[in-house]
Amino acid sequence: MKITANDITLEIEDHGPADAPAMILVRGLGTQLVHWPENLVQGFVNSGFRTISFDNRDVGLSQRCPAPGVPGDADEITAKIMAGTDIPPAYTLDDMARDVIGLMDARGIERAHVFGISMGGAITQLLALDHGDRLLSATIVMTAARPLLERGRIADMLPRLLARPETLDEAQDNWVAGHASFGSPGFPMAEEDIRAEARLAWSRGADAEGVNRQLLATLDARDRRPRLGNVTTPCLVIHGADDTLIPVEMGAEIADHIPESEFHPIKGMGHIITPLLAPQIVSLVGDFIRRRG
């Protein structure tokens, strides 16, 4: 269904009883709500949560958010970054955090548990920092607190992160390759299921420029480490020990900076939550919330 949140239109799915504690799932760069494993969403519902997933702005069925003078073409962005040219983002991760608050307002949710992965994990940190009064708990997954450019891998990472227009066949092949490159080797996903997921996502709106605007927002993000010591929301940090995109040390660093947070590295987990991995994630989060949330 479509809702208006923070003055833009978001596509959401709302699962479970309306009077249950809310769990909001925040996706990472370029991915859509259909990339959540069904057993993850249903697992949270079965654990007693009203579980809400949504397409971030600029992907899937949510509103596109271009801005004058902001490039979306991968080659143009690469050339500017490698030349050291500043690129103003069309919006910031702070705006995307306010999208979550707007979603909560639109659905009548005063406070919620938030679960964010990768870029969504960065957004979840901002929610805990700037909107902590609206959070019951925060689960921060496969992400970092320091700026992407500071990690010293930008030339290597840009080709992996920037999106280009794809045919349906290319989208399927690239998602299979993504699983091979940065997926979860201890919790593999069958190729036919990976391809089916890619087909569904492609059919809902394949928009390379929208993905690249999300990336520019991520690249523009400030270092959150100096502020994380102020977080009072109960925080669980989960990271894959086999993450080849964002090293597990980045997750440990987040937990080191957030008072009384808990850190759980998972052997065999990479940068994708697969159906085989989902039950372990649901169990970890449910246990944490029962004790701390």
Side-chain angles (χ1 to χ4, degrees):
M1 74 177 77
K2 294 274 195 307
I3 65 164
T4 299
N6 194 24
D7 297 324
I8 64 170
T9 302
L10 297 177
E11 177 72 14
I12 77 162
E13 291 185 357
D14 197 335
H15 306 264
D19 59 350
M23 172 75 72
I24 299 176
L25 309 180
V26 189
R27 287 296 311 177
L29 176 69
T31 60
Q32 306 176 24
L33 64 84
V34 296
H35 289 100
W36 292 117
E38 290 183 11
N39 63 333
L40 180 88
V41 175
Q42 191 58 46
F44 282 131
V45 172
N46 293 345
S47 297
F49 298 104
R50 174 187 181 183
T51 306
I52 300 176
S53 57
F54 69 102
D55 290 333
N56 282 309
R57 62 168 68 197
D58 254 340
V59 298
L61 300 179
S62 287
Q63 182 174 322
R64 299 299 181 262
C65 299
V70 178
D73 176 75
D75 290 333
E76 183 178 356
I77 291 171
T78 298
K80 287 181 178 293
I81 289 176
M82 298 313 293
T85 304
D86 288 335
I87 307 176
Y91 47 82
T92 66
L93 293 187
D94 301 276
D95 293 318
M96 299 182 79
R98 285 188 284 270
D99 292 347
V100 178
I101 298 301
L103 182 160
M104 292 170 62
D105 291 342
R107 303 305 288 167
I109 298 168
E110 181 60 32
R111 301 180 72 198
H113 303 281
V114 177
F115 178 100
I117 66 169
S118 199
M119 179 187 73
I123 293 168
T124 301
Q125 292 171 60
L126 291 170
L127 287 166
L129 284 165
D130 300 325
H131 307 278
D133 60 322
R134 302 295 301 273
L135 268 57
L136 294 168
S137 75
T139 301
I140 300 165
V141 187
M142 60 176 79
T143 191
R146 61 176 66 197
L148 187 60
L149 284 171
E150 190 180 285
R151 292 175 221 164
R153 301 172 57 208
I154 193 64
D156 170 60
M157 293 185 73
L158 270 181
R160 304 176 74 182
L161 298 176
L162 282 166
R164 299 176 183 277
E166 299 173 316
T167 66
L168 175 56
D169 286 343
E170 288 170 340
Q172 293 179 84
D173 290 345
N174 288 339
W175 195 223
V176 170
H179 272 257
S181 175
F182 53 81
S184 293
F187 305 89
M189 191 169 170
E191 181 173 330
E192 63 187 55
D193 295 332
I194 298 172
R195 290 185 176 276
E197 189 174 81
R199 285 195 300 272
L200 179 57
W202 189 90
S203 73
R204 298 175 82 249
D207 187 341
E209 293 201 355
V211 174
N212 292 337
R213 286 191 293 270
Q214 288 187 352
L215 178 59
L216 290 178
T218 303
L219 292 173
D220 183 69
R222 298 177 298 279
D223 192 336
R224 292 175 292 277
R225 288 173 294 176
R227 299 177 58 208
L228 288 178
N230 299 323
V231 171
T232 58
T233 299
C235 289
L236 172 64
V237 182
I238 299 174
H239 211 109
D242 296 281
D243 193 326
T244 62
L245 198 59
I246 300 179
V248 66
E249 292 80 12
M250 298 294 98
E253 181 176 66
I254 295 172
D256 286 343
H257 281 77
I258 298 177
E260 299 184 37
S261 62
E262 297 184 16
F263 178 56
H264 285 274
I266 298 179
K267 184 176 175 56
M269 173 180 167
H271 205 73
I272 297 176
I273 297 178
T274 64
L276 286 178
L277 176 58
Q280 185 171 343
I281 298 288
V282 170
S283 178
L284 278 173
V285 175
D287 175 70
F288 177 79
I289 289 174
R290 281 189 293 272
R291 292 185 291 105
R292 301 281 308 279

